[in-house]
PDB file of all heavy atoms in Angstrom:
ATOM      1  N   GLY A  58      66.074  60.586  -2.988  1.00 98.00           N
ATOM      2  CA  GLY A  58      64.816  60.511  -3.876  1.00 98.00           C
ATOM      3  C   GLY A  58      63.522  60.470  -3.199  1.00 98.00           C
ATOM      4  O   GLY A  58      62.479  60.400  -3.868  1.00 98.00           O
ATOM      5  N   ARG A  59      63.477  60.588  -1.876  1.00 98.00           N
ATOM      6  CA  ARG A  59      62.210  60.577  -1.178  1.00 98.00           C
ATOM      7  C   ARG A  59      61.560  61.938  -0.990  1.00 98.00           C
ATOM      8  O   ARG A  59      61.850  62.688  -0.093  1.00 98.00           O
ATOM      9  CB  ARG A  59      62.461  59.971   0.232  1.00 98.00           C
ATOM     10  CG  ARG A  59      63.040  58.487   0.147  1.00 98.00           C
ATOM     11  CD  ARG A  59      63.270  57.916   1.553  1.00 98.00           C
ATOM     12  NE  ARG A  59      64.209  56.768   1.465  1.00 98.00           N
ATOM     13  CZ  ARG A  59      65.277  56.615   2.135  1.00 98.00           C
ATOM     14  NH1 ARG A  59      65.585  57.566   3.034  1.00 98.00           N
ATOM     15  NH2 ARG A  59      66.083  55.595   1.996  1.00 98.00           N
ATOM     16  N   ARG A  60      60.653  62.244  -1.897  1.00 98.00           N
ATOM     17  CA  ARG A  60      59.903  63.544  -1.884  1.00 98.00           C
ATOM     18  C   ARG A  60      58.712  63.205  -1.031  1.00 98.00           C
ATOM     19  O   ARG A  60      57.816  62.382  -1.367  1.00 98.00           O
ATOM     20  CB  ARG A  60      59.437  63.957  -3.241  1.00 98.00           C
ATOM     21  CG  ARG A  60      60.546  64.130  -4.348  1.00 98.00           C
ATOM     22  CD  ARG A  60      59.974  64.335  -5.653  1.00 98.00           C
ATOM     23  NE  ARG A  60      61.000  64.446  -6.700  1.00 98.00           N
ATOM     24  CZ  ARG A  60      61.495  65.639  -7.082  1.00 98.00           C
ATOM     25  NH1 ARG A  60      61.088  66.813  -6.511  1.00 98.00           N
ATOM     26  NH2 ARG A  60      62.452  65.706  -8.025  1.00 98.00           N
ATOM     27  N   GLY A  61      58.470  63.882   0.042  1.00 98.00           N
ATOM     28  CA  GLY A  61      57.362  63.578   0.986  1.00 98.00           C
ATOM     29  C   GLY A  61      57.016  64.756   1.829  1.00 98.00           C
ATOM     30  O   GLY A  61      57.902  65.603   2.142  1.00 98.00           O
ATOM     31  N   ALA A  62      55.768  64.906   2.260  1.00 98.00           N
ATOM     32  CA  ALA A  62      55.274  65.792   3.180  1.00 98.00           C
ATOM     33  C   ALA A  62      54.409  65.127   4.160  1.00 98.00           C
ATOM     34  O   ALA A  62      53.370  64.588   3.786  1.00 98.00           O
ATOM     35  CB  ALA A  62      54.518  67.012   2.451  1.00 98.00           C
ATOM     36  N   ARG A  63      54.860  65.111   5.446  1.00 98.00           N
ATOM     37  CA  ARG A  63      54.013  64.498   6.519  1.00 98.00           C
ATOM     38  C   ARG A  63      52.927  65.392   6.904  1.00 98.00           C
ATOM     39  O   ARG A  63      53.244  66.653   7.190  1.00 98.00           O
ATOM     40  CB  ARG A  63      54.925  64.035   7.599  1.00 98.00           C
ATOM     41  CG  ARG A  63      54.085  63.209   8.655  1.00 98.00           C
ATOM     42  CD  ARG A  63      54.909  62.855   9.926  1.00 98.00           C
ATOM     43  NE  ARG A  63      55.842  61.808   9.702  1.00 98.00           N
ATOM     44  CZ  ARG A  63      56.522  61.163  10.658  1.00 98.00           C
ATOM     45  NH1 ARG A  63      56.168  61.450  11.955  1.00 98.00           N
ATOM     46  NH2 ARG A  63      57.284  60.246  10.398  1.00 98.00           N
ATOM     47  N   ILE A  64      51.663  64.979   6.895  1.00 98.00           N
ATOM     48  CA  ILE A  64      50.526  65.859   7.386  1.00 98.00           C
ATOM     49  C   ILE A  64      50.481  65.809   8.856  1.00 98.00           C
ATOM     50  O   ILE A  64      50.324  64.746   9.510  1.00 98.00           O
ATOM     51  CB  ILE A  64      49.187  65.300   6.734  1.00 98.00           C
ATOM     52  CG1 ILE A  64      49.338  65.216   5.245  1.00 98.00           C
ATOM     53  CG2 ILE A  64      48.058  66.191   7.169  1.00 98.00           C
ATOM     54  CD1 ILE A  64      48.102  64.582   4.497  1.00 98.00           C
ATOM     55  N   VAL A  65      50.614  66.974   9.512  1.00 98.00           N
ATOM     56  CA  VAL A  65      50.717  66.964  10.985  1.00 98.00           C
ATOM     57  C   VAL A  65      49.537  67.792  11.545  1.00 98.00           C
ATOM     58  O   VAL A  65      49.214  68.861  11.162  1.00 98.00           O
ATOM     59  CB  VAL A  65      52.017  67.850  11.399  1.00 98.00           C
ATOM     60  CG1 VAL A  65      52.164  67.892  12.894  1.00 98.00           C
ATOM     61  CG2 VAL A  65      53.227  67.004  10.770  1.00 98.00           C
ATOM     62  N   HIS A  66      48.890  67.108  12.537  1.00 98.00           N
ATOM     63  CA  HIS A  66      47.744  67.666  13.156  1.00 98.00           C
ATOM     64  C   HIS A  66      48.199  68.898  14.067  1.00 98.00           C
ATOM     65  O   HIS A  66      49.232  68.857  14.604  1.00 98.00           O
ATOM     66  CB  HIS A  66      47.074  66.564  14.015  1.00 98.00           C
ATOM     67  CG  HIS A  66      45.745  66.879  14.598  1.00 98.00           C
ATOM     68  ND1 HIS A  66      45.582  67.618  15.684  1.00 98.00           N
ATOM     69  CD2 HIS A  66      44.588  66.444  14.275  1.00 98.00           C
ATOM     70  CE1 HIS A  66      44.332  67.789  15.965  1.00 98.00           C
ATOM     71  NE2 HIS A  66      43.660  67.099  15.119  1.00 98.00           N
ATOM     72  N   PRO A  67      47.321  69.879  14.289  1.00 98.00           N
ATOM     73  CA  PRO A  67      47.660  70.993  15.139  1.00 98.00           C
ATOM     74  C   PRO A  67      48.045  70.605  16.525  1.00 98.00           C
ATOM     75  O   PRO A  67      48.730  71.295  17.169  1.00 98.00           O
ATOM     76  CB  PRO A  67      46.380  71.819  15.021  1.00 98.00           C
ATOM     77  CG  PRO A  67      45.672  71.524  13.747  1.00 98.00           C
ATOM     78  CD  PRO A  67      46.008  70.070  13.635  1.00 98.00           C
ATOM     79  N   SER A  68      47.530  69.497  17.050  1.00 97.00           N
ATOM     80  CA  SER A  68      47.730  69.094  18.374  1.00 97.00           C
ATOM     81  C   SER A  68      49.064  68.243  18.586  1.00 97.00           C
ATOM     82  O   SER A  68      49.515  67.944  19.654  1.00 97.00           O
ATOM     83  CB  SER A  68      46.626  68.256  18.970  1.00 97.00           C
ATOM     84  OG  SER A  68      45.440  69.080  19.008  1.00 97.00           O
ATOM     85  N   ALA A  69      49.616  67.846  17.418  1.00 97.00           N
ATOM     86  CA  ALA A  69      50.809  67.010  17.432  1.00 97.00           C
ATOM     87  C   ALA A  69      52.076  67.703  18.013  1.00 97.00           C
ATOM     88  O   ALA A  69      52.286  68.902  17.660  1.00 97.00           O
ATOM     89  CB  ALA A  69      51.024  66.418  16.110  1.00 97.00           C
ATOM     90  N   VAL A  70      52.823  67.022  18.788  1.00 97.00           N
ATOM     91  CA  VAL A  70      54.074  67.567  19.339  1.00 97.00           C
ATOM     92  C   VAL A  70      55.194  66.503  19.122  1.00 97.00           C
ATOM     93  O   VAL A  70      54.933  65.384  19.123  1.00 97.00           O
ATOM     94  CB  VAL A  70      54.042  68.050  20.737  1.00 97.00           C
ATOM     95  CG1 VAL A  70      53.058  69.178  20.982  1.00 97.00           C
ATOM     96  CG2 VAL A  70      53.666  66.780  21.664  1.00 97.00           C
ATOM     97  N   ALA A  71      56.399  66.963  18.856  1.00 97.00           N
ATOM     98  CA  ALA A  71      57.494  65.968  18.715  1.00 97.00           C
ATOM     99  C   ALA A  71      57.885  65.429  20.043  1.00 97.00           C
ATOM    100  O   ALA A  71      57.841  66.157  20.986  1.00 97.00           O
ATOM    101  CB  ALA A  71      58.634  66.678  17.972  1.00 97.00           C
ATOM    102  N   PRO A  72      58.452  64.194  20.102  1.00 97.00           N
ATOM    103  CA  PRO A  72      58.479  63.337  18.899  1.00 97.00           C
ATOM    104  C   PRO A  72      57.168  62.680  18.684  1.00 97.00           C
ATOM    105  O   PRO A  72      56.304  62.580  19.461  1.00 97.00           O
ATOM    106  CB  PRO A  72      59.501  62.251  19.478  1.00 97.00           C
ATOM    107  CG  PRO A  72      59.249  62.233  20.971  1.00 97.00           C
ATOM    108  CD  PRO A  72      58.936  63.691  21.315  1.00 97.00           C
ATOM    109  N   GLY A  73      57.010  62.166  17.332  1.00 97.00           N
ATOM    110  CA  GLY A  73      55.823  61.467  16.967  1.00 97.00           C
ATOM    111  C   GLY A  73      54.784  62.419  16.277  1.00 97.00           C
ATOM    112  O   GLY A  73      53.619  62.351  16.535  1.00 97.00           O
ATOM    113  N   LEU A  74      55.281  63.294  15.344  1.00 98.00           N
ATOM    114  CA  LEU A  74      54.359  64.108  14.624  1.00 98.00           C
ATOM    115  C   LEU A  74      53.497  63.277  13.686  1.00 98.00           C
ATOM    116  O   LEU A  74      54.047  62.509  12.942  1.00 98.00           O
ATOM    117  CB  LEU A  74      55.087  65.124  13.868  1.00 98.00           C
ATOM    118  CG  LEU A  74      55.892  66.145  14.669  1.00 98.00           C
ATOM    119  CD1 LEU A  74      56.711  67.092  13.761  1.00 98.00           C
ATOM    120  CD2 LEU A  74      55.101  66.938  15.584  1.00 98.00           C
ATOM    121  N   GLY A  75      52.205  63.472  13.727  1.00 98.00           N
ATOM    122  CA  GLY A  75      51.373  62.652  12.911  1.00 98.00           C
ATOM    123  C   GLY A  75      49.998  63.314  12.697  1.00 98.00           C
ATOM    124  O   GLY A  75      49.680  64.378  13.225  1.00 98.00           O
ATOM    125  N   LEU A  76      49.120  62.650  11.981  1.00 98.00           N
ATOM    126  CA  LEU A  76      47.763  63.149  11.821  1.00 98.00           C
ATOM    127  C   LEU A  76      46.972  62.715  13.019  1.00 98.00           C
ATOM    128  O   LEU A  76      45.867  63.265  13.252  1.00 98.00           O
ATOM    129  CB  LEU A  76      47.162  62.660  10.448  1.00 98.00           C
ATOM    130  CG  LEU A  76      45.756  63.181  10.030  1.00 98.00           C
ATOM    131  CD1 LEU A  76      45.690  64.589  10.011  1.00 98.00           C
ATOM    132  CD2 LEU A  76      45.330  62.553   8.694  1.00 98.00           C
ATOM    133  N   SER A  77      47.308  61.649  13.612  1.00 97.00           N
ATOM    134  CA  SER A  77      46.703  61.272  14.834  1.00 97.00           C
ATOM    135  C   SER A  77      47.876  60.926  15.819  1.00 97.00           C
ATOM    136  O   SER A  77      49.023  60.921  15.332  1.00 97.00           O
ATOM    137  CB  SER A  77      45.737  60.064  14.687  1.00 97.00           C
ATOM    138  OG  SER A  77      46.568  58.865  14.563  1.00 97.00           O
ATOM    139  N   PRO A  78      47.572  60.660  17.101  1.00 96.00           N
ATOM    140  CA  PRO A  78      48.803  60.447  18.013  1.00 96.00           C
ATOM    141  C   PRO A  78      49.687  59.330  17.600  1.00 96.00           C
ATOM    142  O   PRO A  78      50.826  59.363  17.940  1.00 96.00           O
ATOM    143  CB  PRO A  78      48.005  60.121  19.343  1.00 96.00           C
ATOM    144  CG  PRO A  78      46.710  60.849  19.246  1.00 96.00           C
ATOM    145  CD  PRO A  78      46.339  60.738  17.782  1.00 96.00           C
ATOM    146  N   GLY A  79      49.199  58.308  16.845  1.00 96.00           N
ATOM    147  CA  GLY A  79      50.091  57.213  16.517  1.00 96.00           C
ATOM    148  C   GLY A  79      50.231  56.872  15.093  1.00 96.00           C
ATOM    149  O   GLY A  79      50.817  55.927  14.672  1.00 96.00           O
ATOM    150  N   ILE A  80      49.559  57.688  14.293  1.00 98.00           N
ATOM    151  CA  ILE A  80      49.513  57.423  12.774  1.00 98.00           C
ATOM    152  C   ILE A  80      50.070  58.673  12.030  1.00 98.00           C
ATOM    153  O   ILE A  80      49.614  59.806  12.109  1.00 98.00           O
ATOM    154  CB  ILE A  80      48.104  57.093  12.307  1.00 98.00           C
ATOM    155  CG1 ILE A  80      47.502  55.917  13.130  1.00 98.00           C
ATOM    156  CG2 ILE A  80      48.041  56.761  10.818  1.00 98.00           C
ATOM    157  CD1 ILE A  80      46.008  55.669  12.760  1.00 98.00           C
ATOM    158  N   ALA A  81      51.029  58.382  11.062  1.00 98.00           N
ATOM    159  CA  ALA A  81      51.419  59.317  10.119  1.00 98.00           C
ATOM    160  C   ALA A  81      50.842  59.117   8.834  1.00 98.00           C
ATOM    161  O   ALA A  81      50.679  58.007   8.400  1.00 98.00           O
ATOM    162  CB  ALA A  81      52.944  59.318  10.043  1.00 98.00           C
ATOM    163  N   VAL A  82      50.360  60.223   8.154  1.00 98.00           N
ATOM    164  CA  VAL A  82      49.995  60.110   6.749  1.00 98.00           C
ATOM    165  C   VAL A  82      50.903  61.107   5.992  1.00 98.00           C
ATOM    166  O   VAL A  82      50.912  62.266   6.204  1.00 98.00           O
ATOM    167  CB  VAL A  82      48.548  60.494   6.526  1.00 98.00           C
ATOM    168  CG1 VAL A  82      48.115  60.339   5.089  1.00 98.00           C
ATOM    169  CG2 VAL A  82      47.629  59.679   7.363  1.00 98.00           C
ATOM    170  N   THR A  83      51.663  60.518   5.037  1.00 98.00           N
ATOM    171  CA  THR A  83      52.608  61.292   4.231  1.00 98.00           C
ATOM    172  C   THR A  83      52.247  61.227   2.763  1.00 98.00           C
ATOM    173  O   THR A  83      51.930  60.224   2.192  1.00 98.00           O
ATOM    174  CB  THR A  83      53.999  60.695   4.428  1.00 98.00           C
ATOM    175  OG1 THR A  83      54.376  60.688   5.783  1.00 98.00           O
ATOM    176  CG2 THR A  83      55.086  61.542   3.715  1.00 98.00           C
ATOM    177  N   ILE A  84      52.229  62.482   2.202  1.00 98.00           N
ATOM    178  CA  ILE A  84      52.029  62.533   0.710  1.00 98.00           C
ATOM    179  C   ILE A  84      53.491  62.299   0.145  1.00 98.00           C
ATOM    180  O   ILE A  84      54.358  63.054   0.377  1.00 98.00           O
ATOM    181  CB  ILE A  84      51.530  63.963   0.339  1.00 98.00           C
ATOM    182  CG1 ILE A  84      50.178  64.259   0.993  1.00 98.00           C
ATOM    183  CG2 ILE A  84      51.364  64.036  -1.244  1.00 98.00           C
ATOM    184  CD1 ILE A  84      49.745  65.660   0.908  1.00 98.00           C
TER     185      ILE A  84
END
Side-chain angles (χ1 to χ4, degrees):
R59 300 182 197 124
R60 303 172 183 269
R63 187 183 285 197
I64 302 170
V65 178
H66 192 282
S68 296
V70 295
L74 298 178
L76 185 54
S77 79
I80 304 174
V82 182
T83 303
I84 302 169

